[in-house]
């Protein structure tokens, strides 16, 4: 993701536009979020951190782009806009009451702007889609090489924190890392666009998986398992998927013979998803009680507009796990949407997510049926990333923060563009992508 590839179909010497510069900058920002996690999100001066700075840059780029009419022709665009307007209606009245807390909670919906920005820029010049594919291919290689080192640094060195940050400057999150590994797995197995030696990639992939999985929480573990199941089901005939499965079995058998207790933490995390245990039961019961209360009270007392943005869903409802009102959301993004936007907002949320995923799946099946393997790999990667991200959203604060939300909505926007570009220019991926190296 470090150098811009020459991917323009008409001319490699074409003058770079502001949109191209934004996408290049954006690639760096996405890499920073993936490798450094929450610590990276505090670059800048509050409340204008790196995510907000990038959003302003993107909105400016969007405002001078002539391709807005193209994105407005898509039904998904209007689903997003209506949802954002509905959320805005449930945000503005609460600003005089809750101040900056209102704006902070509103990140849940204003980060959706990244999906519209990315989709518009890619539709305006479909060759930019090749740029993003090349950037993601480069991201996969950089991520699997650097993540183990960043992980080790974050856990062994006394790193400083940026002003206002609640985390060290390098603090990759396990759930986010597992989500990225899910997408990378799909890209490697389902696409021929990842130009690496299969054995080398497989080795590095398992280094990453081993480092992260042994430290992963339940949400990260089940997110990867769900995504891997989708990829395995879609590519059950692929030698790559069977190579991964075979190596997993061999590693498990070998480790089980030499040092069986090494897998005990991971096994406990997986079992805790399905079986109650003393260590996690209190947290699980507390969350379920909180979620049940929010669902019932929203449907009965806040059906149309929810509790709005700015209201503390923890302390304000009598559920304050750590005290001091620090935990503002119930660690379930779907229930957060319901609680803050009411039942109409939640229905729109389901429409936004399920319609997109359904269309991406349909495109994947269409491409596979036609033997268009490159396009099929792109759509499978997007679907796997969505499955992992939605799984994590069910257990963690993801869509409310930049490290998870910006990546999610970026993939969403790329998916919107991919569906339209494939429809109009199915031959685009046959264009040679020169990495510029």
């Amino acid at each position: 993701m470090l150098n811009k590839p020459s991917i323009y179909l008409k001319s490699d010497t074409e003058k770079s536009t502001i949109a191209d510069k934004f996408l290049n900058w954006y690639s760096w920002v996405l890499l920073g979020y993936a490798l450094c996690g929450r610590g990276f999100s505090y670059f800048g001066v509050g409340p204008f951190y790196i995510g907000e700075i990038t959003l302003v840059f993107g909105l400016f780029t969007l405002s001078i782009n002539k391709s807005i009419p193209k994105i407005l022709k898509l039904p998904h665009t209007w689903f997003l806009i209506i949802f954002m307007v509905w959320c805005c209606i449930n945000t503005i009245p609460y600003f005089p009451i809750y101040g900056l807390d209102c704006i902070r909670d509103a990140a849940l919906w204003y980060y959706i702007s990244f999906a519209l920005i990315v989709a518009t820029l890619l539709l305006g010049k479909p060759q930019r889609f090749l740029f993003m594919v090349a950037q993601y291919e480069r991201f996969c290689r950089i991520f699997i090489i650097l993540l183990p080192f960043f992980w080790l640094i974050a856990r062994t060195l006394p790193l400083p924190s940026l002003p206002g940050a609640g985390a060290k400057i390098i603090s990759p999150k396990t759930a986010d890392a597992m989500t990225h590994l899910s997408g990378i797995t799909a890209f490697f197995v389902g696409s021929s666009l990842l130009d690496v030696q299969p054995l080398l990639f497989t080795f590095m992939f398992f280094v990453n998986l081993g480092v992260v999985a042994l430290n992963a929480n339940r949400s990260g573990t089940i997110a990867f398992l769900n995504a891997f199941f989708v990829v395995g089901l879609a590519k059950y005939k692929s030698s790559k998927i069977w190579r991964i499965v075979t190596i997993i079995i061999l590693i498990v058998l070998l480790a089980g013979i030499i040092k069986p207790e090494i897998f005990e933490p991971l096994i406990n995390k997986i079992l805790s998803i399905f079986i109650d245990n003393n260590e996690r039961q209190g947290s699980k019961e507390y969350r379920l009680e909180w979620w049940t209360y929010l669902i019932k009270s929203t449907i009965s007392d806040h059906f149309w507009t929810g509790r709005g943005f700015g209201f503390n869903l923890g302390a304000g409802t009598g559920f304050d796990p750590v005290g001091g009102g620090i935990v503002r959301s119930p660690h379930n993004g779907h229930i957060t949407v319901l609680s803050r936007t009411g039942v109409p907002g939640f229905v729109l949320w389901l429409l936004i997510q399920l319609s997109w995923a359904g269309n991406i799946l349909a495109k994947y099946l269409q491409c596979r049926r036609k033997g268009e393997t490159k396009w099929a790999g792109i759509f499978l990667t997007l679907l796997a990333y969505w499955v992992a991200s939605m799984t994590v959203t069910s257990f963690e604060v993801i869509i409310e923060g930049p490290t998870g939300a910006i990546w999610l909505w970026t993939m969403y926007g790329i998916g919107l563009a991919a569906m339209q570009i494939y429809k109009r220019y199915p031959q685009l991926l046959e264009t040679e992508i020169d990495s510029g190296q």
Side-chain angles (χ1 to χ4, degrees):
M1 294 182 65
L2 302 180
N3 298 309
K4 180 179 175 181
S6 301
I7 48 102
Y8 297 107
L9 297 180
K10 293 182 180 180
S11 172
D12 287 346
T13 60
E14 185 173 346
K15 185 178 179 180
S16 177
T17 64
I18 292 179
D20 298 323
K21 290 181 171 63
F22 168 76
L23 290 176
N24 197 44
W25 162 267
Y26 194 41
S27 300
W28 280 90
V29 172
L30 291 173
L31 178 62
Y33 278 127
L35 288 175
C36 299
R38 187 181 175 190
F40 181 79
S41 65
Y42 283 93
F43 276 93
V45 179
F48 296 102
Y49 296 113
I50 186 69
E52 283 64 38
I53 293 171
T54 303
L55 180 59
V56 171
F57 185 10
L59 290 174
F60 170 75
T61 305
L62 182 65
S63 69
I64 62 175
N65 194 278
K66 298 179 180 179
S67 303
I68 294 179
K70 294 181 180 180
I71 194 71
L72 293 178
K73 294 179 181 179
L74 307 181
H76 291 89
T77 300
W78 289 103
F79 297 158
L80 292 174
I81 292 175
I82 293 172
F83 178 74
M84 293 176 73
V85 170
W86 183 259
C87 291
C88 188
I89 291 173
N90 288 289
T91 301
I92 294 176
Y94 297 100
F95 182 73
I97 303 173
Y98 301 112
L100 288 179
D101 283 340
C102 187
I103 303 300
R104 183 170 64 177
D105 293 340
L108 182 148
W109 61 266
Y110 69 68
Y111 280 144
I112 295 176
S113 302
F114 284 110
L116 299 175
I117 292 168
V118 171
T120 302
L121 298 185
L122 300 189
L123 286 176
K125 191 174 187 180
Q127 292 83 1
R128 292 190 185 116
F129 180 76
L130 294 180
F131 173 76
M132 295 303 288
V133 172
Q135 293 293 75
Y136 187 73
E137 187 268 344
R138 193 170 287 115
F139 164 80
C140 291
R141 289 188 276 118
I142 293 175
F143 186 81
I144 63 173
I145 291 172
L146 293 185
L147 182 63
F149 297 102
F150 277 64
W151 199 273
L152 181 63
I153 290 170
R155 280 154 178 76
T156 57
L157 298 181
L159 298 174
S161 299
L162 291 172
K168 294 185 292 186
I169 193 171
I170 299 178
S171 52
K173 191 176 180 180
T174 54
D176 290 342
M178 294 295 273
T179 301
H180 291 307
L181 287 175
S182 300
I184 291 172
T185 302
F187 196 62
F188 172 66
V189 173
S191 173
S192 59
L193 296 169
L194 186 53
D195 186 22
V196 294
Q197 290 294 328
L199 288 178
L200 176 62
F201 177 86
T202 304
F203 170 75
M204 289 304 303
F205 171 78
F206 276 106
V207 170
N208 280 264
L209 190 62
V211 169
V212 180
L214 292 177
N215 295 278
N217 52 12
R218 283 180 291 182
S219 61
T221 302
I222 196 172
F224 181 81
L225 292 176
N226 284 345
F228 191 80
F229 175 78
V230 170
V231 175
L233 189 65
K235 302 293 294 183
Y236 65 93
K237 293 183 179 180
S238 171
S239 61
K240 292 179 180 179
I241 197 73
W242 284 109
R243 183 186 298 119
I244 292 175
V245 172
T246 301
I247 295 176
I248 288 176
I249 294 174
L250 291 175
I251 291 175
V252 170
L253 290 175
L254 183 62
I257 295 172
I258 298 175
K259 193 176 182 181
E261 64 271 17
I262 193 174
F263 291 106
E264 185 175 346
L266 182 59
I267 292 173
N268 288 337
K269 288 166 188 172
I270 296 174
L271 291 178
S272 70
I273 298 168
F274 310 100
I275 303 173
D276 294 334
N277 57 56
N278 294 331
E279 180 185 355
R280 296 178 180 269
Q281 180 64 5
S283 168
K284 184 185 297 185
E285 286 183 347
Y286 192 89
R287 285 194 185 188
L288 289 175
E289 184 180 352
W290 190 3
W291 296 351
T292 301
Y293 174 81
L294 288 174
I295 293 171
K296 290 182 177 180
S297 61
T298 301
I299 293 175
S300 60
D301 302 326
H302 305 275
F303 184 92
W304 291 107
T305 60
R307 294 172 171 83
F309 292 85
F311 179 82
N312 191 318
L313 294 177
T317 58
F319 292 84
D320 197 0
V322 298
I326 296 175
V327 180
R328 301 181 53 81
S329 297
H331 284 244
N332 185 314
H334 311 296
I335 293 178
T336 298
V337 171
L338 172 66
S339 301
R340 296 200 182 281
T341 66
V343 174
F346 184 68
V347 171
L348 285 170
W349 172 256
L350 292 179
L351 182 63
I352 285 170
Q353 299 299 337
L354 296 180
S355 63
W356 183 90
N359 277 274
I360 291 293
L361 176 60
K363 289 296 183 184
Y364 166 73
L365 295 174
Q366 179 183 346
C367 293
R368 190 175 72 170
R369 186 172 60 251
K370 292 183 176 180
E372 297 170 326
T373 57
K374 291 182 179 180
W375 277 110
I378 295 295
F379 289 119
L380 181 61
T381 301
L382 293 168
L383 183 62
Y385 193 93
W386 180 86
V387 168
S389 186
M390 286 295 103
T391 302
V392 174
T393 298
S394 301
F395 300 97
E396 301 241 358
V397 179
I398 293 297
I399 57 173
E400 299 94 324
T403 59
I406 293 178
W407 263 98
L408 169 63
W409 294 117
T410 299
M411 290 295 188
Y412 196 103
I414 291 174
L416 291 182
M419 288 186 280
Q420 292 303 307
I421 292 172
Y422 171 71
K423 182 178 179 181
R424 297 186 61 188
Y425 310 105
Q427 76 283 1
L428 185 68
L429 283 183
E430 300 304 319
T431 302
E432 181 180 358
I433 301 179
D434 178 11
S435 65
Q437 295 176 342

